[in-house]
Amino acid sequence: MDAIILQILNGLDKGSAYALIALGLTLIFGTLGVVNFAHGALFMIGAFCAVTLQRILSISFETVDPTKTDFLGNPSTVDTPYIVHWFGPEVGGGIIDWSVPLAILFAIPIMIAIGFIMERGLIKHFYKRPHADQILVTFGLAIVLQEVIKYYYGANPIQTGAPEVFRGSFDFGVLLGFDPNVIIYPYWRLVYFAFAALIIGAVFAFLQFTTFGMVVRAGMADRETVGLLGINIDKRFTIMFGLAAAVAGLAGVMYAPINAPNYHMGMDFLVLSFVVVVVGGMGSLPGAVLAGFLLGILESFASMTQVIDLIPGINQIIIYVVAIIVLLARPRGLMGRKGVMEE
Amino acid sequence: MSRMNLTRRGVIKTGAIAGAGLAMPTYLSAQTESGFTNAPAGDSVTLGFNVPQSGPYADEGADELRAFELAVEHLNGEGDGGMLSTFSSKVLDGTGILGKKVTFVTGDTQTKSDAARASAQSMIQKDGAIMISGGSSSGVAVAVQSLCQEAGIIYMNGLTHSNDTTGKDKKANGFRHFFNAYMSAAALAPVLKQLYGEDRAAYHLTADYTWGWTQQESIQASTEALGWTTVNNVLTPLAATDFSSYITPVLNSGADVLVLNHYGGNMVNSLTNAVQFGLRDKQVNGKNFEIVVPLYSELMAKGAGANIKGIVGSQNWDWKVENVMGDKYVGSNAFVQSFGNKYGFPPSQAAHTCYAQTLLYADAVTRAGSFNPCAVVEALEDFEFDGLGNGPTLYRGADHQCFKDVLVVKGAENPENEFNLVEIVEVTPTEQVTYDAEHPMFAGGALGSCNPGA
């Protein structure tokens, strides 16, 4: 039982990342009709926003320590971050320690700006082109973005830790009546799940309860009619692209302490996220979220030793097997709408 | 007076013949003259360095290239000479190789076998490379080694750790200076026994490809010989990024040691996840839970950050080895000084093995008095040398594997600076890591005979 609960927690955690990325993908597809293969790169750039802020906060000055030598035998230098020098080790060190949560504020304007630039500078020229062209150009853009990141940050993963207070694990089992240390789960992964739920809730609330959201939903349903009513729907869709980029970026920022960011992490998530979107139903926001969590949980269960012993290799193919089954049974995906990508 | 009859057909025919002659790969024309592929004709010789310049091991590849560049400088008599002054063989005098200035070309393996073969082929056919070296993946190494065997080119393996490289996939034209999975296991076993005792239950997570399989097989065999039991071995996809669903089954499996047969980004992520799930703070069977990472690298330690503290593993070489373990490892400091002065940081073990391989090739050619691959093979087989940073070393003729001491290391608890991430725990002597060439873990292939390409 403990193994099942742990895998459910893992699934919810993985599903959080899948759902957040798939939500942004669906927003872009639903509003602009663009299949954005660069969306994984936005997730990766978000994670590197966390890395960048940590580096900015850690900018240091050097002092020579004559008691120590470096690897060449020269007097060694000690780096002291300016922020620690100015505010003391407790406050300054604390700010550096909290660089990942602080990076949320840092990342939002950057991601929205990147989203605007991407949409206005490149993607708008491909609105009326076939989906194959859109896929090619956005995939190319994704490769360019990841190579730019690799050029500046290298190919090696970069550890970007969670705040000290969130390191370690929470004993979940005790709450459920198990012995201590049977079901433990890392604090930061629980934070990530809560954060994802908050962002997903905020996006749905924004679309559901604001006038802007209402117009966007109307535009998603019938772009031409909304345009005939004198509403500049293109402008609103551009803003939605920026918002979708921000959602992907925030997912990346908060993911940074879970796995050390590297330039390739966007590609690692991209294919899975597209499967999530297709299984959920192209253009369906609730479908994307539902499929994200569903596939996250199934993937986790497929990694259990007992399951692998029963069906060797199932952990590597489960998501694709489920996608095939869902698409055979429901060709539009779990919550897909009629007419989307069917013209 | 003669008259020339120019016809359209004749011009096309003549042009085609002339074009084909010009386009003929240089190695084909060379081999007819000298009996081997890409025989150097002018006053220079070209070496081909095939490393990952893109992809997940690009940083390691960049360090390998730095070392190759340094080795070429030293062979041509530039710079401070590095390990030329400490190398036991004294035939290299800084005048290139056999009096020919050394030049080099580079290729990008992308850590993909097909891309690596294509770039090696290009360097051989278009650039006339006489030797290929490099690599940061066993899959790539095996693929390129096989290509070089067919092309009649010497392949000096860079970083490749799978038993198969000098086991079932060994080739007469291929040589490996780097250690292998069996040696890691043999070196680690006594240290694991000393640190963690004889009564342990190990759980393996293993990267699902040639290197992971041989690494796991080797570690399981050596730890079971100590009396440890193996609770489980789970193969993880190479593309996996989040290992949480593989780590959680370990929590209540009864295992008290987790062996991560992962390398590069896989290892950084799996170790990070294991630490997040509290494995390092856990007590099982009345003992502290331990994590072992059989193959270490400085770049991995850097990527893993604080998670690597106290984690035991093995290395082929470390830049501190001469300072910590003494003069037996002479050459290390000379290389570190040379590399450090040029690039501003100490070399990685990948850089070291690539540098050593370049010198060893140049030395073998010089001793043989010929670039002919068969002469080079003969010069390298059963060659004993010293002064390249690993202590006395043998290039065994039976499988073209180097035998030397292996370092057992652990993540530094309080690193003084960003370069001191790894501490040397012990050096396991050569005798303890030496195995029979017919050992079952290395069986299944034949070295064959050298191919000069003629």
Side-chain angles (χ1 to χ4, degrees):
Chain A
M1 188 61 191
D2 53 294
I4 291 172
I5 295 170
L6 275 167
Q7 292 302 359
I8 290 173
L9 288 169
N10 276 333
L12 290 174
D13 187 52
K14 278 185 190 180
S16 303
Y18 295 161
L20 280 177
I21 302 174
L23 186 66
L25 270 173
T26 305
L27 271 177
I28 291 170
F29 181 75
T31 52
L32 303 169
V34 171
V35 183
N36 181 22
F37 262 62
H39 203 69
L42 295 172
F43 173 75
M44 178 266 296
I45 290 174
F48 275 89
C49 281
V51 173
T52 306
L53 185 67
Q54 192 180 57
R55 288 194 173 175
I56 290 171
L57 294 175
S58 304
I59 291 173
S60 306
F61 61 90
E62 286 183 351
T63 45
V64 176
D65 182 352
T67 62
K68 290 176 184 163
T69 53
D70 70 4
F71 74 98
L72 289 173
N74 303 319
S76 184
T77 54
V78 179
D79 292 339
T80 308
Y82 282 105
I83 208 161
V84 171
H85 181 67
W86 293 333
F87 300 109
E90 203 162 310
V91 176
I95 292 170
I96 295 172
D97 186 43
W98 278 76
S99 60
V100 170
L102 290 172
I104 291 173
L105 302 174
F106 179 69
I108 288 172
I110 291 175
M111 296 310 302
I112 290 175
I114 289 174
F116 278 8
I117 294 166
M118 263 174 74
E119 199 272 337
R120 290 288 91 187
L122 182 71
I123 288 174
K124 76 166 186 177
H125 302 293
F126 285 81
Y127 286 157
K128 290 179 182 163
R129 301 275 285 269
H131 286 304
D133 288 8
Q134 297 171 353
I135 289 171
L136 278 176
V137 76
T138 52
F139 191 71
L141 180 64
I143 292 171
V144 169
L145 289 173
Q146 74 173 28
E147 289 303 312
V148 168
I149 291 290
K150 194 178 81 178
Y151 179 80
Y152 286 105
Y153 294 89
N156 214 28
I158 302 166
Q159 283 291 332
T160 314
E164 186 73 41
V165 67
F166 291 116
R167 291 177 201 166
S169 302
F170 175 65
D171 199 334
F172 221 80
V174 174
L175 287 182
L176 302 172
F178 286 88
D179 291 336
N181 292 322
V182 172
I183 303 174
I184 56 171
Y185 211 74
Y187 286 119
W188 189 256
R189 286 176 182 262
L190 295 171
V191 168
Y192 193 79
F193 174 66
F195 178 80
L198 187 73
I199 295 288
I200 291 166
V203 169
F204 276 95
F206 178 72
L207 290 173
Q208 204 66 35
F209 303 122
T210 64
T211 310
F212 185 96
M214 187 184 70
V215 172
V216 168
R217 279 189 292 122
M220 286 170 80
D222 190 341
R223 186 185 184 130
E224 278 183 26
T225 307
V226 173
L228 288 172
L229 291 172
I231 296 167
N232 185 351
I233 194 70
D234 286 350
K235 190 176 163 189
R236 284 170 171 77
F237 282 176
T238 304
I239 295 171
M240 286 313 294
F241 197 100
L243 281 178
V247 169
L250 292 181
V253 168
M254 295 296 277
Y255 195 77
I258 291 177
N259 276 321
N262 69 77
Y263 77 99
H264 202 262
M265 64 191 294
M267 286 291 181
D268 297 335
F269 274 91
L270 182 71
V271 177
L272 286 173
S273 302
F274 263 97
V275 176
V276 168
V277 170
V278 171
V279 169
M282 294 295 285
S284 167
L285 295 174
V289 175
L290 174 71
F293 284 110
L294 181 72
L295 292 182
I297 290 172
L298 283 173
E299 195 186 11
S300 293
F301 274 109
S303 306
M304 288 175 75
T305 314
Q306 295 87 336
V307 179
I308 294 174
D309 288 345
L310 203 65
I311 314 171
I314 187 68
N315 54 330
Q316 311 211 25
I317 57 169
I318 180 70
I319 284 192
Y320 307 102
V321 171
V322 171
I324 291 168
I325 293 169
V326 168
L327 291 180
L328 282 175
R330 295 179 64 88
R332 292 191 188 103
L334 293 174
M335 300 176 80
R337 290 181 292 123
K338 191 178 177 184
V340 177
M341 267 195 110
E342 289 175 0
E343 65 273 16
Chain B
M1 186 178 165
S2 65
R3 190 177 164 198
M4 216 162 74
N5 282 326
L6 281 177
T7 63
R8 183 181 63 88
R9 213 174 273 262
V11 169
I12 291 172
K13 200 187 270 181
T14 313
I17 292 166
L22 286 171
M24 188 168 69
T26 50
Y27 79 88
L28 288 178
S29 54
Q31 72 191 30
T32 53
E33 288 171 18
S34 310
F36 61 94
T37 302
N38 288 345
D43 56 1
S44 68
V45 59
T46 304
L47 308 182
F49 301 136
N50 203 21
V51 304
Q53 297 182 48
S54 58
Y57 298 142
D59 286 359
E60 206 153 59
D63 220 33
E64 291 184 346
L65 267 189
R66 290 183 194 107
F68 281 131
E69 196 181 331
L70 195 66
V72 168
E73 269 185 30
H74 292 167
L75 288 173
N76 287 332
E78 298 157 15
D80 61 8
M83 285 202 275
L84 284 186
S85 58
T86 57
F87 191 15
S88 55
S89 176
K90 298 294 179 194
V91 297
L92 295 172
D93 56 5
T95 57
I97 307 176
L98 291 181
K100 294 181 189 295
K101 183 178 167 67
V102 183
T103 61
F104 66 91
V105 289
T106 67
D108 181 7
T109 68
Q110 302 173 32
T111 318
K112 293 174 186 163
S113 298
D114 51 350
R117 282 177 67 97
S119 60
Q121 191 135 19
S122 168
M123 288 190 287
I124 295 167
Q125 294 189 350
K126 287 187 183 162
D127 303 312
I130 184 79
M131 177 274 267
I132 302 290
S133 184
S136 276
S137 151
S138 293
V140 164
V142 166
V144 178
Q145 183 167 263
S146 169
L147 173 92
C148 289
Q149 177 70 33
E150 291 159 19
I153 291 290
I154 292 291
Y155 183 56
M156 302 297 280
N157 281 285
L159 195 155
T160 161
H161 189 247
S162 169
N163 290 342
D164 292 347
T165 310
T166 45
K168 75 176 177 61
D169 296 313
K170 58 183 172 281
K171 299 286 179 217
N173 283 33
F175 289 84
R176 171 161 65 178
H177 172 265
F178 205 69
F179 70 154
N180 59 39
Y182 176 93
M183 293 172 168
S184 279
L188 278 170
V191 178
L192 294 178
K193 179 181 171 184
Q194 186 190 329
L195 291 173
Y196 308 138
E198 296 177 15
D199 180 26
R200 284 282 185 168
Y203 194 110
H204 291 250
L205 292 182
T206 303
D208 195 5
Y209 74 110
T210 172
W211 171 76
W213 305 327
T214 65
Q215 174 70 84
Q216 193 279 330
E217 181 189 25
S218 303
I219 290 283
Q220 181 172 343
S222 67
T223 52
E224 286 184 352
L226 294 178
W228 289 24
T229 55
T230 304
V231 175
N232 205 349
N233 173 38
V234 176
L235 298 177
T236 59
L238 195 56
T241 50
D242 184 6
F243 289 84
S244 56
S245 46
Y246 298 101
I247 297 288
T248 43
V250 183
L251 291 169
N252 303 311
S253 65
D256 48 32
V257 176
L258 173 64
V259 182
L260 296 174
N261 299 301
H262 288 150
Y263 189 71
N266 269 187
M267 174 268 177
V268 170
N269 287 336
S270 62
L271 177 61
T272 302
N273 292 170
V275 173
Q276 283 169 357
F277 277 87
L279 286 182
R280 301 214 59 197
D281 306 319
K282 201 171 167 61
Q283 285 254 326
V284 180
N285 309 326
K287 305 176 197 99
N288 287 335
F289 195 99
E290 303 293 348
I291 301 173
V292 177
V293 176
L295 176 62
Y296 245 66
S297 81
E298 298 83 349
L299 283 167
M300 278 159 56
K302 193 175 173 187
N307 299 319
I308 203 80
K309 287 182 180 180
I311 303 283
V312 174
S314 66
Q315 282 193 183
N316 187 60
W317 178 82
D318 184 89
W319 67 269
K320 300 179 291 294
V321 66
E322 190 174 346
N323 291 338
V324 176
M325 306 307 292
D327 291 345
K328 183 181 180 189
Y329 304 99
V330 65
S332 296
N333 283 352
F335 180 51
V336 172
Q337 282 290 329
S338 196
F339 190 99
N341 282 327
K342 185 172 171 71
Y343 301 114
F345 46 85
S348 63
Q349 62 174 349
H352 170 258
T353 200
C354 288
Y355 180 91
Q357 285 282 70
T358 312
L359 293 199
L360 284 164
Y361 171 78
D363 176 76
V365 170
T366 310
R367 283 187 291 110
S370 167
F371 286 97
N372 187 319
C374 289
V376 176
V377 168
E378 201 180 327
L380 278 171
E381 283 183 342
D382 294 319
F383 176 52
E384 292 181 43
F385 59 93
D386 198 354
L388 292 186
N390 294 103
T393 304
L394 164 71
Y395 235 133
R396 187 162 73 179
D399 53 6
H400 295 186
Q401 170 68 53
C402 266
F403 287 84
K404 52 194 168 10
D405 294 354
V406 172
L407 307 186
V408 177
V409 298
K410 69 171 185 176
E413 293 290 348
N414 295 302
E416 285 177 5
N417 56 54
E418 59 179 318
F419 308 127
N420 272 328
L421 301 175
V422 170
E423 284 174 9
I424 299 170
V425 177
E426 199 172 296
V427 174
T428 307
T430 314
E431 308 79 65
Q432 266 177 256
V433 300
T434 301
Y435 53 86
D436 192 89
E438 302 301 317
H439 190 286
M441 285 185 197
F442 295 82
L447 197 60
S449 52
C450 76
N451 177 19

